[in-house]
């Protein structure tokens, strides 16, 4: 074996272990993964168990699986260098195996309903990868919301595993997390549209752009308010949704002209994190 062959193996391994192949560069999706999981864990009456830890690792592996798989599609379709193909396959296989082992462990522990929660992710992932192959995955609010709905299933999963049994409360948590995801995504798209403006447009244009976002926020606050009024939800829980309503009203009043997407995403990450903490605190009041 010559020197070039011997030295090429460590170089290949180091290329496979690159951070950009293992971890997604966008950060906005993390809150849609972690917020429902944390809410599911924190609203359960029992303390997290070993099964809860396995669930978190399994959910994380499933979430990360999408990134290298996306890179595989991009490499095959010419959007990315073929040199990244085998590294992306390596990480996709690693995350896939870790996720399947974790899911198998949880099913063996008696949580067979988790398998049904995992199934909706398959068609959403297939549509996303198809759009990636057509260079059309960006600026797709319906797809983003579908992804958020799937990730919100982490709330019932974490709640059931922590409680040790199935409960209809898990579906309530899924609906509530999905409701926040809708308002959060609508707000982000409103801000991204505003940043393209060269100057503040007419009031009618501002209202037209902001109306869907404000409408979804009023829907969230009024829905949770009604359910709280008839004692189906904790009395003060609507305040958590009022936080996003306030942020969207502020966004309407002060358009994000010239702001960078990272600025918009970071602020929304902070708001969604505060929502999560506020939700948990108000749930137990």
């Amino acid at each position: 074996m010559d020197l070039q062959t011997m030295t090429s193996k460590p170089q290949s391994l180091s290329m496979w272990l690159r951070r950009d192949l293992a971890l997604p560069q966008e950060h906005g999706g993390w809150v849609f993964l972690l917020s429902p999981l944390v809410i599911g864990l924190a609203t359960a009456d029992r303390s997290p168990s070993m099964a809860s830890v396995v669930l978190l690792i399994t959910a994380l592996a499933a979430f990360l699986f999408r990134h290298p798989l996306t890179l595989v599609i991009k490499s095959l379709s010419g959007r990315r260098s073929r040199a990244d193909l085998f590294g992306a396959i390596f990480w996709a296989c690693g995350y896939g195996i870790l996720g399947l082992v974790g899911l198998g462990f949880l099913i063996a522990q008696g949580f067979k309903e988790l398998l049904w929660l995992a199934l909706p992710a398959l068609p959403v992932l297939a549509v996303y990868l198809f759009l990636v192959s057509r260079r059309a995955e960006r600026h797709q609010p319906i797809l983003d919301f579908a992804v958020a709905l799937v990730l919100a299933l982490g709330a019932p999963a974490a709640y059931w595993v922590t409680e040790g049994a199935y409960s209809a409360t898990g579906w309530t948590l899924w609906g509530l997390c999905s409701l926040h995801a809708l308002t959060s995504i609508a707000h982000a798209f409103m801000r991204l549209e505003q940043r393209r403006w060269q100057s503040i447009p007419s009031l009618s244009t501002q209202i037209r752009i902001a109306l869907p976002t404000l409408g979804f926020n009023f829907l969230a606050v009024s829905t949770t308010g009604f359910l709280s009024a008839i004692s189906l939800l904790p009395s003060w829980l609507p305040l958590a949704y009022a936080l996003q309503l306030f942020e969207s009203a502020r966004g309407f009043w002060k358009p994000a002209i010239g702001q960078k997407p990272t600025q918009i995403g970071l602020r929304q990450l902070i708001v969604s994190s505060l929502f999560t903490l506020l939700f948990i605190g108000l749930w137990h009041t």
Side-chain angles (χ1 to χ4, degrees), residues 8 20 25 32 51 73-74 80 91 97 114 147 156 165 167 190 192 200 233 240 281-282:
S8 65
D20 64 305
Q25 302 303 305
F32 293 116
I73 300 299
K74 287 184 176 181
R80 197 175 174 105
W91 284 106
I97 292 172
L114 297 182
V147 172
S167 170
M190 177 188 73
L192 290 173
I200 297 179
L233 289 178
L282 295 172

Side-chain angles (χ1 to χ4, degrees), residues 242-283:
L243 174 65
Q244 183 64 63
L245 173 59
F246 174 81
E247 175 66 10
S248 294
R250 174 192 172 278
F252 165 69
W253 187 254
K254 294 184 177 181
I257 298 176
Q259 289 188 12
K260 297 180 180 179
T262 51
Q263 292 178 277
I264 296 172
L266 179 60
R267 184 176 179 88
Q268 185 54 40
L269 175 62
I270 294 173
V271 171
S272 293
S273 299
L274 290 175
F275 164 83
T276 302
L277 295 175
L278 194 58
F279 184 104
I280 293 170
L282 295 172
W283 182 269

Side-chain angles (χ1 to χ4, degrees), residues 21-163:
L21 297 180
L23 299 174
Q25 302 303 305
E26 70 275 8
H27 306 295
W30 286 98
V31 70
F32 293 116
L33 169 73
L34 296 177
S35 178
L37 288 170
V38 171
I39 286 175
L41 290 172
T43 53
D45 293 327
R46 297 187 178 185
S47 300
S49 61
M50 177 59 68
S52 301
V53 175
V54 173
L55 173 68
L56 291 177
I57 296 173
T58 303
L60 180 61
F63 176 76
L64 292 174
F65 174 71
R66 178 186 65 90
H67 175 64
L69 194 59
T70 300
L71 298 184
V72 170
I73 300 299
K74 287 184 176 181
S75 295
L76 293 176
S77 61
R79 295 182 59 183
R80 197 175 174 105
S81 171
R82 283 296 183 103
D84 296 337
L85 178 59
F86 290 104
I89 292 175
F90 169 78
W91 284 106
C93 291
Y95 290 141
I97 292 172
L98 181 61
L100 289 175
V101 170
L103 183 60
F105 172 83
L106 292 168
I107 291 175
Q109 295 295 308
F111 300 106
K112 296 181 176 61
E113 61 274 4
L114 297 182
L115 182 61
W116 297 106
L117 294 184
L119 291 180
L122 299 179
V124 174
L125 180 61
V127 171
Y128 170 76
L129 293 177
F130 172 78
L131 292 174
V132 169
S133 68
R134 298 299 181 92
R135 302 173 181 261
E137 76 276 13
R138 294 184 179 274
H139 307 297
Q140 299 284 352
I142 295 178
L143 177 63
D144 288 346
F145 184 55
V147 172
L149 287 179
V150 170
L151 294 178
L153 291 170
Y159 185 85
W160 295 337
V161 169
T162 304
E163 287 286 348

